[in-house]
Amino acid sequence: MVARDLEDLCERAAEMVARAITDQVLARGRATIVLSGGTTPRRVYERLAIGTFQQAIPWDQVYLFWGDERCIPPDDPDSNYKMAHDTLISKVSIPKENIYRMPTERSDHQEAALEYEKTLRNFFGLAGEGWPRFDLALLGIGTDGHTASLFPGSPILSEKKQWVAAAYVEKLKVYRLTLTPSVFNHSAQVIFLAAGKEKAPVIKESFSADHRSSRFPFQEIRPHEGKLIFFLDQAACSLSPPFYEVSG
Ligand code: 6PG
């Protein structure tokens, strides 16, 4: 879906998130949502935290998780958890017990990844084989085509066992924690959010050829039995041919 601008994109994406939450809560009594960092997701969280969305969403039945995180304490200004806390969590009536942030203050990143996987396994009641099924994952797209902390060339892109990985990001010379592609691909719905003209080249390159071949990490995310939806704005599509919605 191509929105006029960032504001229009946020309004429409917030509507879809609110609908997904309400539907899931009605059907199953809870909604599990994966959040990410980034400027476009941030604007959507801000929108969800005010007006009718803030009032109508059954926040006490919403469970929040993170798709990726920097290895820094949760009160660091660059923390994705802090961003979601400041823009959304602190403004809605979501119980503290429903917030499942990544344990990024741990100095051993591999241990932190294992610990988060354990947390997810407990939540979903899955000890051995199998994958969690999140109701919705919200993801951004970087100018290099990364999503969550799945960067171009990362070995984590082909990870088939772990749910959570400590990914060394060569480009930034840091470790990040990230859910693996298989986790996103077992979600019921994935929504990509990208706005602004700086995203136009990666959007053009990824969609102008055969969209079944992956050139960028975000193209590895295609839920097996779920929906894949792109919320873009006109600026992000300014170099692309007309757009379409892809559903899985
Ligand atoms: C992060 C992210 C990352 C982000 C993209 C897009 O922690 O930064 O989870 O994957 O979503 O980089 O970010 P922008 O919307 O700011 O370009």
Side-chain angles (χ1 to χ4, degrees):
M1 137 41 252
V2 182
R4 273 192 317 277
D5 50 28
L6 181 58
E7 205 178 315
D8 184 32
L9 182 157
C10 294
E11 183 66 23
R12 291 170 184 235
E15 263 166 33
M16 183 161 279
V17 172
R19 202 175 328 127
I21 292 175
T22 311
D23 289 351
Q24 280 306 314
V25 167
L26 278 176
R28 324 239 316 242
R30 75 175 193 200
T32 52
I33 314 294
V34 177
L35 302 178
S36 61
T39 48
T40 320
R42 175 192 187 102
R43 294 292 299 268
V44 175
Y45 307 157
E46 286 169 350
R47 185 66 195 87
L48 287 168
I50 55 171
T52 47
F53 297 121
Q54 186 220 38
Q55 286 153 21
I57 293 174
W59 291 106
D60 55 334
Q61 283 151 293
V62 174
Y63 294 78
L64 296 180
F65 301 84
W66 271 261
D68 76 312
E69 193 51 281
R70 290 157 180 78
C71 293
I72 51 181
D75 57 352
D76 189 291
D78 289 332
S79 153
N80 287 345
Y81 163 77
K82 180 171 165 47
M83 187 271 268
H85 176 270
D86 294 354
T87 54
L88 176 65
I89 297 167
S90 62
K91 299 185 179 351
V92 298
S93 53
I94 185 162
K96 265 207 321 274
E97 313 75 68
N98 294 15
I99 312 293
Y100 291 86
R101 69 169 181 83
M102 290 179 158
T104 47
E105 61 276 43
R106 286 191 71 138
S107 52
D108 186 325
H109 312 313
Q110 308 296 342
E111 287 290 326
L114 284 173
E115 183 182 321
Y116 198 56
E117 179 162 332
K118 203 167 149 199
T119 302
L120 298 185
R121 284 183 176 279
N122 286 339
F123 181 88
F124 286 97
L126 274 172
E129 295 282 295
W131 295 94
R133 185 163 174 83
F134 287 105
D135 297 318
L136 174 63
L138 292 172
L139 289 169
I141 299 175
T143 51
D144 59 358
H146 80 263
T147 192
S149 285
L150 302 166
F151 283 79
S154 169
I156 313 290
L157 286 165
S158 47
E159 173 58 47
K160 295 281 183 274
K161 279 197 179 141
Q162 282 173 250
W163 293 14
V164 186
Y168 185 70
V169 185
E170 185 58 52
K171 179 176 169 180
L172 307 170
K173 306 267 183 256
V174 291
Y175 274 93
R176 296 259 190 105
L177 297 186
T178 188
L179 299 187
T180 56
S182 292
V183 173
F184 292 117
N185 285 333
H186 283 84
S187 301
Q189 187 165 187
V190 172
I191 295 182
F192 279 109
L193 304 160
K197 65 175 177 357
E198 65 281 8
K199 302 287 165 71
V202 70
I203 296 298
K204 173 181 183 253
E205 258 200 76
S206 56
F207 286 96
S208 56
D210 179 356
H211 73 268
R212 283 165 303 184
S213 62
S214 305
R215 253 185 268 176
F216 298 106
F218 83 86
Q219 293 176 290
E220 296 292 334
I221 311 300
R222 302 182 193 111
H224 306 312
E225 288 174 34
K227 282 192 194 160
L228 175 61
I229 299 172
F230 288 85
F231 278 89
L232 308 168
D233 71 348
Q234 281 181 2
C237 299
S238 53
L239 300 173
S240 305
F243 261 87
Y244 47 88
E245 181 174 306
V246 187
S247 45

